[in-house]
Coordinates of all heavy atoms in Angstrom, one line a residue:
M1 N 15.9 -15.6 -4.2 CA 14.6 -15.0 -3.8 C 14.8 -14.0 -2.7 O 15.6 -14.2 -1.8 CB 13.7 -16.1 -3.3 CG 12.4 -15.6 -2.8 SD 11.2 -16.9 -2.2 CE 12.1 -17.5 -0.8
R2 N 14.1 -12.8 -2.8 CA 14.3 -11.8 -1.8 C 12.9 -11.2 -1.5 O 12.1 -11.1 -2.4 CB 15.2 -10.7 -2.3 CG 15.5 -9.6 -1.3 CD 16.2 -8.4 -1.9 NE 15.3 -7.7 -2.8 CZ 15.7 -6.8 -3.7 NH1 17.0 -6.6 -3.8 NH2 14.8 -6.2 -4.4
L3 N 12.6 -11.0 -0.2 CA 11.4 -10.4 0.2 C 11.8 -9.3 1.2 O 12.3 -9.6 2.3 CB 10.5 -11.5 0.9 CG 9.0 -11.1 1.1 CD1 8.3 -10.8 -0.3 CD2 8.3 -12.3 1.7
H4 N 11.6 -8.1 0.8 CA 12.1 -6.9 1.5 C 10.9 -6.1 2.1 O 10.1 -5.5 1.4 CB 12.9 -6.0 0.6 CG 13.6 -4.9 1.3 ND1 14.1 -3.8 0.7 CD2 13.8 -4.7 2.6 CE1 14.6 -3.0 1.5 NE2 14.5 -3.5 2.7
N5 N 10.8 -6.2 3.5 CA 9.6 -5.6 4.1 C 9.7 -4.1 4.1 O 10.8 -3.5 4.1 CB 9.4 -6.1 5.5 CG 10.6 -5.9 6.4 OD1 11.7 -6.3 6.0 ND2 10.4 -5.3 7.5
N6 N 8.6 -3.4 4.1 CA 8.6 -1.9 4.2 C 8.7 -1.5 5.7 O 8.7 -2.3 6.6 CB 7.3 -1.3 3.6 CG 6.0 -1.7 4.3 OD1 6.1 -2.4 5.3 ND2 4.9 -1.3 3.8
A7 N 8.8 -0.2 5.9 CA 9.1 0.3 7.2 C 7.9 -0.1 8.2 O 8.2 -0.4 9.4 CB 9.2 1.8 7.2
A8 N 6.7 -0.1 7.7 CA 5.5 -0.4 8.5 C 5.4 -1.9 8.8 O 4.6 -2.4 9.6 CB 4.3 0.1 7.9
N9 N 6.2 -2.7 8.1 CA 6.3 -4.1 8.2 C 5.0 -4.8 7.9 O 4.7 -5.9 8.4 CB 6.7 -4.5 9.7 CG 7.4 -5.8 9.8 OD1 8.0 -6.2 8.8 ND2 7.4 -6.4 10.9
D10 N 4.2 -4.2 7.0 CA 2.9 -4.8 6.6 C 2.9 -5.3 5.2 O 2.0 -5.9 4.7 CB 1.7 -3.9 6.9 CG 1.8 -2.6 6.2 OD1 2.8 -2.4 5.5 OD2 0.9 -1.8 6.3
S11 N 3.9 -4.9 4.4 CA 4.0 -5.3 3.0 C 5.5 -5.5 2.7 O 6.4 -5.0 3.4 CB 3.4 -4.1 2.2 OG 3.5 -4.5 0.8
A12 N 5.7 -6.2 1.6 CA 7.1 -6.5 1.2 C 7.2 -6.6 -0.3 O 6.3 -7.0 -1.0 CB 7.6 -7.8 1.9
E13 N 8.4 -6.1 -0.8 CA 8.7 -6.2 -2.2 C 9.5 -7.4 -2.5 O 10.5 -7.7 -1.8 CB 9.4 -4.9 -2.7 CG 9.6 -4.9 -4.2 CD 10.1 -3.6 -4.7 OE1 9.8 -2.6 -4.1 OE2 10.7 -3.6 -5.8
Y14 N 9.1 -8.2 -3.5 CA 9.8 -9.4 -3.8 C 10.6 -9.4 -5.1 O 10.4 -8.5 -6.0 CB 8.8 -10.6 -3.9 CG 8.2 -10.7 -5.3 CD1 8.7 -11.6 -6.2 CD2 7.1 -10.0 -5.6 CE1 8.1 -11.7 -7.5 CE2 6.5 -10.1 -6.9 CZ 7.0 -10.9 -7.8 OH 6.5 -11.0 -9.1
A15 N 11.6 -10.2 -5.2 CA 12.3 -10.5 -6.4 C 12.7 -12.0 -6.4 O 13.1 -12.5 -5.4 CB 13.6 -9.6 -6.4
I16 N 12.6 -12.6 -7.6 CA 12.9 -14.0 -7.7 C 13.8 -14.1 -9.0 O 13.4 -13.6 -10.1 CB 11.7 -14.8 -7.9 CG1 11.0 -14.9 -6.5 CG2 12.0 -16.3 -8.4 CD1 9.7 -15.8 -6.5
V17 N 14.9 -14.8 -8.9 CA 15.7 -15.1 -10.1 C 16.1 -16.5 -10.0 O 16.6 -17.0 -9.0 CB 17.0 -14.2 -10.1 CG1 17.8 -14.5 -11.3 CG2 16.7 -12.7 -10.0
V18 N 15.9 -17.2 -11.2 CA 16.3 -18.6 -11.3 C 17.5 -18.6 -12.3 O 17.4 -18.0 -13.4 CB 15.1 -19.5 -11.8 CG1 15.6 -20.9 -12.1 CG2 14.1 -19.5 -10.7
R19 N 18.5 -19.3 -12.0 CA 19.7 -19.4 -12.9 C 19.2 -20.0 -14.2 O 18.4 -20.9 -14.3 CB 20.7 -20.4 -12.3 CG 22.1 -20.1 -12.5 CD 23.0 -21.0 -11.8 NE 23.2 -22.3 -12.5 CZ 24.1 -23.2 -12.2 NH1 24.8 -23.0 -11.1 NH2 24.2 -24.3 -12.9
S20 N 19.8 -19.4 -15.3 CA 19.3 -19.7 -16.7 C 19.2 -21.2 -16.9 O 18.1 -21.6 -17.5 CB 20.2 -19.1 -17.7 OG 20.2 -17.7 -17.5
D21 N 20.2 -22.0 -16.6 CA 20.1 -23.4 -16.9 C 19.2 -24.2 -16.0 O 19.1 -25.4 -16.2 CB 21.5 -24.0 -17.0 CG 22.4 -23.7 -15.8 OD1 22.0 -22.8 -15.0 OD2 23.3 -24.5 -15.5
Y22 N 18.6 -23.5 -15.1 CA 17.6 -24.2 -14.2 C 16.1 -23.7 -14.4 O 15.2 -24.1 -13.8 CB 17.9 -24.1 -12.7 CG 19.1 -25.0 -12.3 CD1 20.4 -24.5 -12.3 CD2 18.8 -26.3 -11.9 CE1 21.4 -25.4 -11.9 CE2 19.9 -27.1 -11.5 CZ 21.1 -26.7 -11.5 OH 22.2 -27.5 -11.1
K23 N 16.0 -22.8 -15.4 CA 14.7 -22.3 -15.7 C 13.8 -23.3 -16.3 O 14.3 -24.3 -17.0 CB 14.8 -21.1 -16.7 CG 15.2 -19.8 -16.0 CD 15.3 -18.7 -17.0 CE 15.9 -17.5 -16.3 NZ 16.3 -16.4 -17.2
G24 N 12.5 -23.2 -16.1 CA 11.5 -24.1 -16.8 C 11.4 -25.4 -16.1 O 10.9 -26.4 -16.7
R25 N 11.9 -25.5 -14.9 CA 11.8 -26.8 -14.1 C 10.8 -26.7 -12.9 O 10.9 -27.6 -12.0 CB 13.1 -27.3 -13.6 CG 14.2 -27.4 -14.7 CD 15.5 -27.9 -14.1 NE 16.5 -28.0 -15.1 CZ 17.7 -28.5 -14.9 NH1 17.9 -29.1 -13.7 NH2 18.6 -28.5 -15.8
G26 N 10.1 -25.6 -12.8 CA 9.2 -25.5 -11.7 C 9.8 -24.8 -10.5 O 9.1 -24.6 -9.5
L27 N 11.1 -24.4 -10.6 CA 11.7 -23.7 -9.4 C 11.1 -22.4 -9.1 O 10.8 -22.0 -7.9 CB 13.2 -23.6 -9.6 CG 14.0 -24.9 -9.5 CD1 15.5 -24.6 -9.9 CD2 13.9 -25.5 -8.1
G28 N 10.8 -21.6 -10.1 CA 10.2 -20.3 -9.9 C 8.9 -20.4 -9.2 O 8.6 -19.6 -8.3
W29 N 8.1 -21.3 -9.7 CA 6.8 -21.6 -9.1 C 6.9 -22.0 -7.6 O 6.2 -21.4 -6.8 CB 6.1 -22.7 -9.9 CG 4.8 -23.1 -9.5 CD1 4.4 -24.0 -8.5 CD2 3.5 -22.6 -10.0 NE1 3.1 -24.1 -8.3 CE2 2.5 -23.2 -9.3 CE3 3.2 -21.7 -11.0 CZ2 1.2 -23.0 -9.5 CZ3 1.9 -21.4 -11.2 CH2 0.9 -22.1 -10.5
Q30 N 7.8 -22.8 -7.3 CA 8.0 -23.3 -5.9 C 8.5 -22.1 -5.1 O 8.0 -21.9 -3.9 CB 9.0 -24.4 -5.8 CG 8.4 -25.7 -6.2 CD 9.4 -26.9 -5.9 OE1 10.2 -26.8 -5.0 NE2 9.3 -27.9 -6.7
L31 N 9.4 -21.3 -5.6 CA 9.9 -20.1 -4.8 C 8.7 -19.1 -4.6 O 8.6 -18.6 -3.5 CB 11.0 -19.4 -5.6 CG 12.3 -20.2 -5.6 CD1 13.3 -19.6 -6.6 CD2 12.9 -20.2 -4.2
M32 N 7.8 -19.0 -5.6 CA 6.7 -18.1 -5.4 C 5.8 -18.6 -4.2 O 5.3 -17.9 -3.3 CB 5.8 -18.0 -6.6 CG 6.4 -17.2 -7.8 SD 6.4 -15.4 -7.5 CE 4.7 -15.0 -8.0
Q33 N 5.5 -19.9 -4.3 CA 4.7 -20.6 -3.2 C 5.4 -20.4 -1.8 O 4.7 -20.0 -0.9 CB 4.6 -22.1 -3.5 CG 3.6 -22.4 -4.5 CD 3.3 -23.9 -4.6 OE1 4.3 -24.7 -4.6 NE2 2.1 -24.3 -4.8
M34 N 6.7 -20.6 -1.7 CA 7.4 -20.5 -0.5 C 7.3 -19.0 0.0 O 7.1 -18.8 1.2 CB 8.9 -20.9 -0.6 CG 9.1 -22.3 -0.7 SD 10.8 -22.7 -1.2 CE 11.7 -22.0 0.2
M35 N 7.5 -18.1 -0.9 CA 7.5 -16.7 -0.5 C 6.1 -16.2 0.0 O 6.0 -15.5 1.0 CB 7.9 -15.9 -1.8 CG 7.9 -14.4 -1.6 SD 8.1 -13.7 -3.2 CE 6.5 -13.8 -3.9
I36 N 5.1 -16.7 -0.7 CA 3.7 -16.3 -0.3 C 3.4 -16.9 1.1 O 2.9 -16.3 2.0 CB 2.7 -16.8 -1.3 CG1 2.9 -15.9 -2.6 CG2 1.3 -16.6 -0.8 CD1 2.2 -16.5 -3.8
A37 N 3.8 -18.2 1.3 CA 3.6 -18.9 2.6 C 4.3 -18.1 3.7 O 3.8 -17.9 4.8 CB 4.0 -20.3 2.5
Y38 N 5.6 -17.8 3.4 CA 6.4 -17.1 4.4 C 5.8 -15.7 4.7 O 5.7 -15.3 5.9 CB 7.8 -16.9 3.8 CG 8.7 -16.1 4.8 CD1 9.3 -16.8 5.9 CD2 9.1 -14.8 4.5 CE1 10.1 -16.1 6.7 CE2 9.9 -14.1 5.4 CZ 10.4 -14.7 6.5 OH 11.3 -14.0 7.3
G39 N 5.3 -15.0 3.7 CA 4.7 -13.7 3.9 C 3.5 -13.8 4.8 O 3.3 -13.0 5.7
R40 N 2.7 -14.8 4.6 CA 1.5 -15.0 5.4 C 1.9 -15.3 6.9 O 1.3 -14.8 7.8 CB 0.7 -16.2 4.9 CG 0.0 -15.9 3.6 CD -1.3 -16.7 3.4 NE -2.1 -16.2 2.3 CZ -2.0 -16.8 1.1 NH1 -1.4 -17.9 0.8 NH2 -2.7 -16.2 0.1
K41 N 2.9 -16.2 7.0 CA 3.4 -16.6 8.4 C 3.9 -15.3 9.1 O 3.7 -15.2 10.3 CB 4.5 -17.6 8.2 CG 4.7 -18.5 9.4 CD 5.6 -19.6 9.0 CE 6.6 -19.9 10.2 NZ 7.7 -20.8 9.7
R42 N 4.5 -14.4 8.4 CA 5.1 -13.2 9.0 C 4.0 -12.2 9.3 O 4.3 -11.1 9.8 CB 6.2 -12.6 8.1 CG 7.5 -13.4 8.1 CD 8.2 -13.2 9.4 NE 8.5 -11.8 9.7 CZ 9.6 -11.2 9.4 NH1 10.5 -11.8 8.7 NH2 9.7 -9.9 9.7
G43 N 2.8 -12.4 8.8 CA 1.7 -11.5 9.1 C 1.6 -10.3 8.1 O 1.0 -9.3 8.4
L44 N 2.3 -10.5 6.9 CA 2.3 -9.4 5.9 C 0.8 -9.3 5.4 O 0.1 -10.3 5.3 CB 3.2 -9.7 4.8 CG 4.7 -9.7 5.1 CD1 5.5 -10.0 3.9 CD2 5.1 -8.3 5.7
R45 N 0.4 -8.1 5.0 CA -0.9 -7.9 4.4 C -0.8 -8.0 2.8 O -1.8 -8.3 2.2 CB -1.5 -6.6 4.8 CG -1.6 -6.6 6.3 CD -2.2 -5.3 6.8 NE -3.6 -5.1 6.2 CZ -4.4 -4.2 6.7 NH1 -4.1 -3.4 7.6 NH2 -5.6 -4.1 6.2
S46 N 0.4 -7.7 2.3 CA 0.5 -7.9 0.8 C 2.0 -8.1 0.4 O 2.9 -7.8 1.2 CB 0.0 -6.6 0.1 OG 0.8 -5.5 0.5
I47 N 2.1 -8.6 -0.8 CA 3.4 -8.8 -1.4 C 3.4 -8.0 -2.7 O 2.4 -8.1 -3.4 CB 3.8 -10.2 -1.6 CG1 4.1 -10.9 -0.3 CG2 4.9 -10.4 -2.6 CD1 4.3 -12.4 -0.4
E48 N 4.4 -7.2 -3.0 CA 4.4 -6.4 -4.2 C 5.6 -6.5 -5.0 O 6.6 -7.0 -4.5 CB 4.2 -4.9 -3.8 CG 2.9 -4.6 -3.1 CD 2.8 -3.3 -2.4 OE1 3.8 -2.5 -2.6 OE2 1.8 -3.0 -1.8
G49 N 5.6 -6.2 -6.3 CA 6.8 -6.3 -7.1 C 6.6 -5.4 -8.3 O 5.5 -4.9 -8.7
K50 N 7.8 -5.2 -9.0 CA 7.8 -4.5 -10.3 C 8.3 -5.5 -11.3 O 9.4 -6.1 -11.1 CB 8.7 -3.3 -10.2 CG 8.1 -2.2 -9.3 CD 8.7 -0.8 -9.5 CE 8.0 0.2 -8.7 NZ 6.7 0.6 -9.1
V51 N 7.6 -5.7 -12.3 CA 7.9 -6.7 -13.4 C 7.9 -6.0 -14.7 O 7.0 -5.3 -15.0 CB 6.9 -7.9 -13.3 CG1 7.3 -8.9 -14.4 CG2 6.8 -8.5 -11.9
L52 N 9.0 -6.3 -15.5 CA 9.0 -5.7 -16.9 C 7.8 -6.2 -17.7 O 7.4 -7.4 -17.6 CB 10.3 -6.1 -17.6 CG 11.5 -5.3 -17.3 CD1 12.7 -5.9 -18.0 CD2 11.3 -3.8 -17.6
H53 N 7.2 -5.4 -18.4 CA 6.0 -5.7 -19.2 C 6.3 -6.9 -20.1 O 5.4 -7.7 -20.4 CB 5.6 -4.4 -20.0 CG 4.3 -4.5 -20.7 ND1 4.1 -4.9 -22.0 CD2 3.1 -4.3 -20.2 CE1 2.8 -4.9 -22.3 NE2 2.2 -4.6 -21.2
E54 N 7.5 -7.0 -20.6 CA 7.9 -8.1 -21.5 C 8.1 -9.4 -20.8 O 8.3 -10.4 -21.5 CB 9.1 -7.7 -22.3 CG 10.3 -7.6 -21.5 CD 11.4 -6.7 -22.1 OE1 11.1 -5.7 -22.8 OE2 12.6 -7.0 -21.8
N55 N 8.1 -9.4 -19.5 CA 8.5 -10.6 -18.7 C 7.2 -11.5 -18.6 O 6.6 -11.6 -17.5 CB 9.0 -10.2 -17.4 CG 9.7 -11.4 -16.6 OD1 9.5 -12.6 -17.0 ND2 10.4 -11.1 -15.6
K56 N 6.9 -12.2 -19.7 CA 5.7 -13.0 -19.8 C 5.7 -14.1 -18.7 O 4.7 -14.4 -18.1 CB 5.6 -13.6 -21.2 CG 4.3 -14.3 -21.4 CD 4.2 -14.8 -22.9 CE 2.9 -15.6 -23.1 NZ 2.6 -16.6 -22.2
A57 N 6.9 -14.7 -18.5 CA 7.0 -15.9 -17.6 C 6.5 -15.4 -16.2 O 5.7 -16.1 -15.5 CB 8.4 -16.4 -17.5
M58 N 7.1 -14.3 -15.7 CA 6.7 -13.8 -14.3 C 5.3 -13.3 -14.3 O 4.5 -13.6 -13.3 CB 7.7 -12.8 -13.9 CG 7.4 -12.3 -12.5 SD 7.1 -13.5 -11.2 CE 8.8 -14.0 -10.8
L59 N 4.8 -12.6 -15.3 CA 3.5 -12.1 -15.3 C 2.4 -13.2 -15.3 O 1.4 -13.1 -14.6 CB 3.2 -11.1 -16.4 CG 4.0 -9.7 -16.3 CD1 3.8 -8.9 -17.5 CD2 3.6 -9.0 -15.0
D60 N 2.7 -14.3 -16.1 CA 1.8 -15.4 -16.1 C 1.7 -16.1 -14.8 O 0.7 -16.4 -14.3 CB 2.3 -16.5 -17.2 CG 1.9 -16.1 -18.6 OD1 1.2 -15.1 -18.8 OD2 2.4 -16.8 -19.5
M61 N 2.9 -16.2 -14.1 CA 2.9 -16.8 -12.8 C 2.1 -15.9 -11.8 O 1.3 -16.4 -11.0 CB 4.3 -17.0 -12.3 CG 4.9 -18.3 -12.7 SD 6.1 -18.9 -11.6 CE 7.4 -17.7 -11.7
C62 N 2.3 -14.6 -11.9 CA 1.6 -13.7 -11.0 C 0.1 -13.9 -11.2 O -0.7 -13.9 -10.2 CB 2.0 -12.2 -11.3 SG 3.6 -11.8 -10.7
R63 N -0.3 -14.0 -12.4 CA -1.8 -14.1 -12.7 C -2.3 -15.4 -12.1 O -3.3 -15.4 -11.4 CB -2.0 -14.2 -14.2 CG -2.4 -12.9 -14.8 CD -2.7 -12.9 -16.3 NE -2.2 -11.7 -16.8 CZ -1.1 -11.6 -17.5 NH1 -0.4 -12.6 -17.9 NH2 -0.7 -10.4 -17.9
Q64 N -1.5 -16.5 -12.2 CA -1.9 -17.8 -11.7 C -2.0 -17.8 -10.1 O -2.8 -18.5 -9.5 CB -1.0 -18.9 -12.2 CG -1.3 -19.2 -13.7 CD -0.3 -20.2 -14.2 OE1 -0.5 -21.4 -13.8 NE2 0.6 -19.9 -15.0
F65 N -1.1 -17.0 -9.5 CA -1.2 -16.9 -8.0 C -2.2 -15.8 -7.5 O -2.3 -15.6 -6.3 CB 0.2 -16.6 -7.5 CG 1.1 -17.8 -7.4 CD1 2.1 -18.1 -8.4 CD2 1.0 -18.7 -6.4 CE1 2.9 -19.2 -8.3 CE2 1.8 -19.8 -6.3 CZ 2.7 -20.1 -7.3
G66 N -2.9 -15.1 -8.5 CA -3.9 -14.2 -8.1 C -3.4 -12.8 -7.8 O -4.2 -12.0 -7.2
F67 N -2.2 -12.4 -8.3 CA -1.8 -11.0 -8.1 C -2.6 -10.1 -9.0 O -3.1 -10.5 -10.0 CB -0.3 -10.9 -8.6 CG 0.7 -11.4 -7.7 CD1 0.9 -12.7 -7.4 CD2 1.6 -10.4 -7.1 CE1 1.9 -13.1 -6.5 CE2 2.6 -10.8 -6.3 CZ 2.8 -12.2 -6.0
E68 N -2.8 -8.9 -8.5 CA -3.4 -7.8 -9.3 C -2.2 -7.3 -10.1 O -1.1 -7.1 -9.6 CB -3.9 -6.7 -8.5 CG -5.1 -7.0 -7.6 CD -5.2 -6.0 -6.5 OE1 -4.9 -4.8 -6.7 OE2 -5.7 -6.3 -5.4
I69 N -2.5 -7.0 -11.4 CA -1.4 -6.5 -12.3 C -1.8 -5.2 -12.9 O -2.9 -5.1 -13.5 CB -1.1 -7.5 -13.4 CG1 -0.6 -8.8 -12.7 CG2 0.0 -7.0 -14.3 CD1 -0.4 -10.0 -13.7
A70 N -1.0 -4.1 -12.7 CA -1.4 -2.8 -13.3 C -0.1 -2.2 -13.9 O 1.0 -2.4 -13.5 CB -1.9 -1.9 -12.2
I71 N -0.3 -1.4 -15.0 CA 0.8 -0.7 -15.6 C 1.3 0.4 -14.7 O 0.4 1.1 -14.1 CB 0.4 -0.1 -17.0 CG1 -0.3 -1.1 -17.9 CG2 1.5 0.7 -17.6 CD1 0.7 -1.9 -18.7
D72 N 2.6 0.5 -14.5 CA 3.1 1.5 -13.6 C 2.8 2.9 -14.3 O 3.2 3.1 -15.5 CB 4.7 1.3 -13.5 CG 5.3 2.3 -12.6 OD1 4.8 3.5 -12.5 OD2 6.3 1.9 -12.0
P73 N 2.1 3.8 -13.6 CA 1.7 5.1 -14.2 C 2.9 5.9 -14.6 O 2.8 6.8 -15.5 CB 0.9 5.8 -13.1 CG 1.1 5.0 -11.9 CD 1.6 3.6 -12.2
K74 N 4.1 5.7 -14.0 CA 5.3 6.5 -14.3 C 6.1 5.9 -15.4 O 7.0 6.5 -16.0 CB 6.1 6.7 -13.1 CG 5.5 7.5 -12.0 CD 6.4 7.6 -10.8 CE 5.7 8.1 -9.6 NZ 6.3 7.7 -8.4
N75 N 5.9 4.6 -15.7 CA 6.7 3.9 -16.7 C 5.9 2.7 -17.3 O 5.8 1.7 -16.7 CB 8.0 3.4 -16.0 CG 9.0 2.8 -17.0 OD1 8.6 2.4 -18.1 ND2 10.2 2.6 -16.6
A76 N 5.5 2.9 -18.6 CA 4.6 1.9 -19.2 C 5.3 0.6 -19.5 O 4.6 -0.4 -19.8 CB 4.0 2.5 -20.5
S77 N 6.6 0.5 -19.4 CA 7.3 -0.7 -19.6 C 7.4 -1.6 -18.4 O 7.9 -2.7 -18.4 CB 8.7 -0.5 -20.2 OG 9.5 0.1 -19.2
I78 N 6.8 -1.1 -17.3 CA 6.8 -1.8 -16.0 C 5.4 -2.1 -15.5 O 4.6 -1.2 -15.6 CB 7.7 -1.0 -15.0 CG1 9.1 -1.0 -15.4 CG2 7.5 -1.6 -13.6 CD1 10.0 -0.2 -14.5
C79 N 5.2 -3.3 -15.0 CA 3.9 -3.6 -14.3 C 4.1 -3.6 -12.8 O 5.1 -4.2 -12.3 CB 3.4 -4.9 -14.8 SG 3.0 -5.0 -16.5
D80 N 3.2 -3.0 -12.1 CA 3.2 -3.1 -10.6 C 2.3 -4.3 -10.3 O 1.1 -4.4 -10.8 CB 2.5 -1.9 -10.0 CG 3.4 -0.7 -10.2 OD1 4.7 -0.8 -10.1 OD2 2.9 0.4 -10.5
V81 N 2.8 -5.3 -9.6 CA 2.0 -6.5 -9.2 C 1.8 -6.5 -7.7 O 2.7 -6.1 -7.0 CB 2.7 -7.8 -9.8 CG1 2.9 -7.8 -11.3 CG2 4.0 -8.1 -9.1
R82 N 0.7 -7.0 -7.3 CA 0.4 -7.0 -5.9 C -0.6 -8.1 -5.5 O -1.6 -8.4 -6.2 CB -0.3 -5.6 -5.5 CG -0.7 -5.5 -4.1 CD -1.3 -4.2 -3.8 NE -1.6 -4.1 -2.4 CZ -2.7 -4.6 -1.8 NH1 -3.6 -5.2 -2.5 NH2 -2.8 -4.4 -0.5
L83 N -0.2 -8.8 -4.5 CA -1.0 -9.9 -4.0 C -1.4 -9.6 -2.5 O -0.6 -9.4 -1.7 CB -0.2 -11.2 -4.0 CG -1.0 -12.5 -3.5 CD1 -2.2 -12.8 -4.4 CD2 -0.1 -13.7 -3.2
A84 N -2.7 -9.5 -2.3 CA -3.2 -9.3 -0.9 C -3.2 -10.6 -0.2 O -3.6 -11.6 -0.8 CB -4.6 -8.7 -1.0
L85 N -2.6 -10.7 1.0 CA -2.5 -12.0 1.7 C -3.6 -12.2 2.7 O -4.3 -11.2 3.1 CB -1.2 -12.0 2.4 CG 0.1 -11.9 1.5 CD1 1.3 -12.0 2.3 CD2 0.1 -13.0 0.4
Ligands
COA101 C1 10.6 -15.6 -14.0 C2 11.4 -16.8 -13.5 C3 11.7 -16.6 -12.0 C4 10.6 -18.1 -13.7 O1 11.3 -19.2 -13.1 P1 11.2 -20.7 -13.7 O2 11.8 -21.6 -12.7 O3 11.8 -20.7 -15.0 O4 9.7 -20.9 -13.8 P2 8.9 -22.3 -13.6 O5 9.6 -23.4 -14.3 O6 8.6 -22.5 -12.1 O7 7.5 -22.0 -14.2 C5 7.4 -22.0 -15.6 C6 6.0 -22.5 -16.0 O8 5.6 -23.6 -15.3 C7 4.3 -23.4 -14.6 N1 4.4 -24.2 -13.4 C8 5.5 -24.6 -12.8 N2 5.2 -25.3 -11.7 C9 3.9 -25.5 -11.6 C10 3.0 -26.1 -10.8 N3 3.4 -26.9 -9.7 N4 1.7 -26.0 -11.0 C11 1.2 -25.3 -12.1 N5 2.0 -24.6 -12.9 C12 3.4 -24.7 -12.7 C13 4.3 -21.9 -14.5 O9 3.1 -21.4 -14.4 C14 4.9 -21.6 -15.9 O10 4.0 -21.8 -16.9 P3 4.3 -21.5 -18.5 O11 5.7 -21.0 -18.6 O12 4.2 -22.8 -19.1 O13 3.3 -20.5 -18.8 C15 12.7 -17.0 -14.3 O14 12.4 -17.0 -15.6 C16 13.8 -15.9 -14.0 O15 14.6 -16.0 -13.1 N6 13.7 -14.8 -14.8 C17 14.7 -13.7 -14.6 C18 14.5 -12.9 -13.4 C19 13.1 -12.3 -13.4 O16 12.6 -11.9 -14.5 N7 12.5 -12.2 -12.2 C20 11.1 -11.6 -12.1 C21 11.1 -10.2 -11.5 S1 11.0 -10.4 -9.8

């Protein structure tokens, strides 16, 4: 899991990867929860990410955590996801 803050320190871009043989056990979900809690604690206003359109697992999780999801205007195969904290 990575959360990389921007220069203004009010938003951060995230990335989460779970090892293939550990997928589907709830780890991705827990990492998302930890990341959101950490972002709130750090006083971030939002968490953002870029997710491949075909990445149903991550997009479903984003929906469940209340992220806004939009197609990247520059690349239709990518979704811009954003959670206001
Ligand atoms: C996307 C990724 C991080 C998901 O991680 P994971 O550990 O396999 O996912 P989980 O097991 O936590 O969640 C899978 C499912 O359980 C659900 N779930 C897990 N824990 C839950 C809980 N406590 N409460 C409710 N739902 C839960 C999730 O919503 C999801 O539902 P579904 O697949 O049945 O629709 C993982 O597939 C991955 O590493 N992919 C490659 C890297 C990548 O694409 N990263 C995203 C770009 S940042």
